Amino acid sequence: MINLLYFARLREELDCADEALEYTPELGTVADLVAVLRARGGSWSEVFDEGETVMVAVNQEMGGIDSPLADGDEVAFFPPVTGG
Amino acid sequence: MINLLYFARLREELDCADEALEYTPELGTVADLVAVLRARGGSWSEVFDEGETVMVAVNQEMGGIDSPLADGDEVAFFPPVTGG
Amino acid sequence: MNKISVQSEPFDLAAIQDALRCESPAIGAVVTFLGQMRDINEGEAVTTLTLEHYPGMTEKALQAILDEADQRWDLMGIQVVHRVGPLKPLDPIVLVAVASAHRGEAFQACEFIIDYLKTRAPFWKKEQTPEGERWVDARVADDRAEQRWRR
Amino acid sequence: MNKISVQSEPFDLAAIQDALRCESPAIGAVVTFLGQMRDINEGEAVTTLTLEHYPGMTEKALQAILDEADQRWDLMGIQVVHRVGPLKPLDPIVLVAVASAHRGEAFQACEFIIDYLKTRAPFWKKEQTPEGERWVDARVADDRAEQRWRR
């Protein structure tokens, strides 16, 4: 499984805070995962549109589109951070 | 009159915190005043030796060797400051 | 000693600074940054600010920033406190306090930490205004501030 | 509002910062520098530090520094407190707190003020060590720090 988390504006637009996704070897990188999510259509294709700035963390460390994925990973998507 | 003040190490070395000096037109600048003080000899010539770093304030504003003097001025001599 | 706290409760500015500065009589300088809620942003009145974060990752991201500051400068203690949840104008949001023997390093490290926190720690602000709610957009100025420290 | 105080009594760090930051809900950042007495200087133990100053000129010199900071940056209040008289290790010596809408200006102005204070305000430190008393020499590092701001 891959544990997916969504924060802030993304959580609201997707109406989803977290979900568990079946892991398959095709999910080699974050890019593969984003393609799966975008293919869901509706708000998913909007949020993960190529023109949108979405940040990703893999196992609670900042990652990128090329970050490799493995079974059991925690992957979080969120907008650029605005704390401080 | 010119009111003279000495601070910190200078005050201790001269054993003098303040004094009033008769104003004369020959005291055109701080340099003229320093020449008078240096001519006193002893610790005065040491403290105001050319090799020593002495700071001066005229009427409570940082000045220099060329600062003009006038009757009634307050002139203070002190070592480089070390607050903060 | 470094300490990180992410909390919904208010924090005691004086207690944190005193604990930090009294850790060692070799400390000569403490530089503190306090960020607080403004009642206006981009020209609009803001009545409430709500801070969301990513529990677990937040602490790790802050720890990584503090570790990097400790590598770059000779520091004698760092305290970071960040509020989450609803805040009102004048409420403190974040505190970064850095102790060092001399002031130059404390100033640099404190500014470095808040610059990095603003672009790398997973916090998000939502504003309540008379026109409704809105998520705060990341500021380009914060990206630029962070990039100064790259090497 | 700017405020300067030269005093022999201890000061209340929290009260000063709170008074400053609560002056306006348009304030977003408060940067504070606290300098405190170290128990060792140039390798020697220091038991007491005595601060002498030039009453009258001190306040004017500090005011001139604050006026220049206000000209250079868009600030929303500055508080400077400097102790005089005898101090013990861990005693706060000086506090510089600067409020602004955004942090960049508050950081720069705070560092500018302490850098200038160290070379332009008439304070002198005398240290009591086991070997006797000695006047502290001006640090070349402080001159260099001040020169960064020349323009």
Side-chain angles (χ1 to χ4, degrees):
Chain A
M1 304 295 274
I2 295 208
N3 294 304
L4 287 173
L5 302 172
Y6 307 96
F7 288 99
R9 186 171 45 72
L10 265 65
R11 174 175 42 72
E12 289 188 355
E13 289 178 6
L14 298 171
D15 196 21
C16 179
D18 57 272
E19 61 176 315
L21 199 76
E22 188 81 32
Y23 176 77
T24 66
E26 284 76 40
L27 295 176
T29 66
V30 168
D32 300 321
L33 174 59
V34 166
V36 168
L37 298 174
R38 190 186 291 144
R40 288 174 173 176
S43 59
W44 295 88
S45 58
E46 283 167 28
V47 161
F48 290 102
D49 186 83
E50 306 244 350
E52 294 297 310
T53 302
V54 174
M55 296 180 80
V56 65
V58 178
N59 297 326
Q60 306 192 347
E61 299 224 345
M62 289 291 188
I65 200 77
D66 297 328
S67 297
L69 295 182
D71 199 8
D73 279 351
E74 175 175 304
V75 180
F77 291 103
F78 43 80
V81 304
T82 55
Chain B
M1 301 296 274
I2 296 210
N3 295 305
L4 287 172
L5 302 171
Y6 307 96
F7 288 99
R9 188 169 45 72
L10 265 64
R11 174 175 42 73
E12 291 188 353
E13 289 177 5
L14 299 172
D15 196 20
C16 179
D18 57 271
E19 62 175 315
L21 200 75
E22 189 80 33
Y23 176 77
T24 66
E26 284 75 42
L27 295 175
T29 66
V30 168
D32 300 321
L33 174 59
V34 166
V36 168
L37 298 175
R38 191 185 292 145
R40 289 175 172 176
S43 59
W44 295 86
S45 57
E46 283 168 28
V47 162
F48 289 102
D49 186 84
E50 305 243 352
E52 294 298 308
T53 303
V54 174
M55 298 180 78
V56 64
V58 177
N59 297 325
Q60 306 191 349
E61 299 224 347
M62 288 292 187
I65 201 77
D66 297 329
S67 298
L69 295 183
D71 199 9
D73 279 352
E74 175 176 305
V75 180
F77 292 101
F78 43 79
V81 305
T82 55
Chain C
M1 206 197 62
N2 298 346
K3 204 174 147 205
I4 291 166
S5 177
V6 180
Q7 60 187 56
S8 52
E9 306 77 37
F11 51 83
D12 184 336
L13 182 59
I16 294 165
Q17 286 175 313
D18 277 338
L20 179 61
R21 74 176 194 81
C22 291
E23 255 180 48
S24 163
I27 292 172
V30 176
V31 172
T32 304
F33 169 78
L34 179 75
Q36 69 180 15
M37 189 190 152
R38 301 170 68 217
D39 66 348
I40 195 158
N41 191 22
E42 289 172 15
E44 271 192 85
V46 183
T47 52
T48 306
L49 184 70
T50 305
L51 262 295
E52 177 176 333
H53 78 124
Y54 179 175
M57 177 171 170
T58 313
E59 292 79 1
K60 283 183 197 172
L62 293 175
Q63 188 59 56
I65 295 168
L66 267 53
D67 289 346
E68 187 161 347
D70 267 324
Q71 280 193 334
R72 290 194 183 205
W73 294 283
D74 193 7
L75 307 176
M76 307 183 76
I78 310 171
Q79 300 245 0
V80 175
V81 187
H82 203 297
R83 296 277 304 274
V84 291
L87 299 174
K88 294 288 177 191
L90 286 179
D91 278 350
I93 302 170
V94 60
L95 173 77
V96 178
V98 179
S100 188
H102 302 290
R103 72 187 185 283
E105 295 185 294
F107 268 109
Q108 285 188 53
C110 187
E111 196 166 11
F112 168 89
I113 291 165
I114 186 63
D115 283 352
Y116 266 51
L117 185 156
K118 290 233 174 206
T119 57
R120 299 193 173 194
F123 293 101
W124 301 274
K125 284 177 180 150
K126 187 185 221 176
E127 295 175 339
Q128 274 80 45
T129 78
E131 274 76 52
E133 293 190 332
R134 64 179 183 192
W135 289 98
V136 175
D137 280 334
R139 293 179 70 221
V140 175
D142 287 328
D143 285 332
R144 285 213 198 93
E146 194 237 53
Q147 281 162 13
R148 283 189 300 142
W149 303 100
R150 297 278 174 79
R151 60 175 186 190
Chain D
M1 207 197 61
N2 297 347
K3 205 175 149 206
I4 290 166
S5 177
V6 180
Q7 61 187 58
S8 52
E9 306 77 37
F11 51 83
D12 184 336
L13 185 59
I16 294 165
Q17 290 177 105
D18 276 339
L20 180 62
R21 72 175 196 82
C22 291
E23 255 180 48
S24 164
I27 292 172
V30 176
V31 173
T32 304
F33 169 77
L34 179 76
Q36 70 180 13
M37 188 190 152
R38 301 170 68 218
D39 65 350
I40 197 158
N41 190 22
E42 290 172 14
E44 271 192 84
V46 183
T47 52
T48 306
L49 184 70
T50 305
L51 262 295
E52 178 176 334
H53 78 123
Y54 180 174
M57 176 171 170
T58 313
E59 292 78 1
K60 284 184 196 169
L62 293 175
Q63 189 59 54
I65 296 168
L66 267 53
D67 288 346
E68 187 161 346
D70 268 324
Q71 281 192 335
R72 290 193 184 206
W73 294 283
D74 194 7
L75 308 176
M76 307 183 77
I78 309 172
Q79 301 245 0
V80 175
V81 187
H82 203 298
R83 296 277 305 273
V84 291
L87 299 172
K88 295 287 176 191
L90 286 180
D91 277 351
I93 302 171
V94 59
L95 174 76
V96 177
V98 179
S100 188
H102 303 289
R103 72 188 184 282
E105 296 186 293
F107 268 110
Q108 284 188 51
C110 187
E111 197 167 9
F112 168 88
I113 291 165
I114 186 62
D115 283 352
Y116 265 52
L117 186 155
K118 291 231 174 207
T119 58
R120 298 189 175 197
F123 293 102
W124 301 274
K125 284 176 180 150
K126 187 184 220 175
E127 294 175 339
Q128 275 81 44
T129 77
E131 275 75 50
E133 293 191 332
R134 62 180 184 192
W135 288 99
V136 175
D137 280 332
R139 292 178 70 222
V140 175
D142 286 328
D143 285 331
R144 286 216 195 91
E146 195 238 52
Q147 280 161 13
R148 283 188 302 144
W149 303 100
R150 297 276 174 80
R151 61 177 184 188

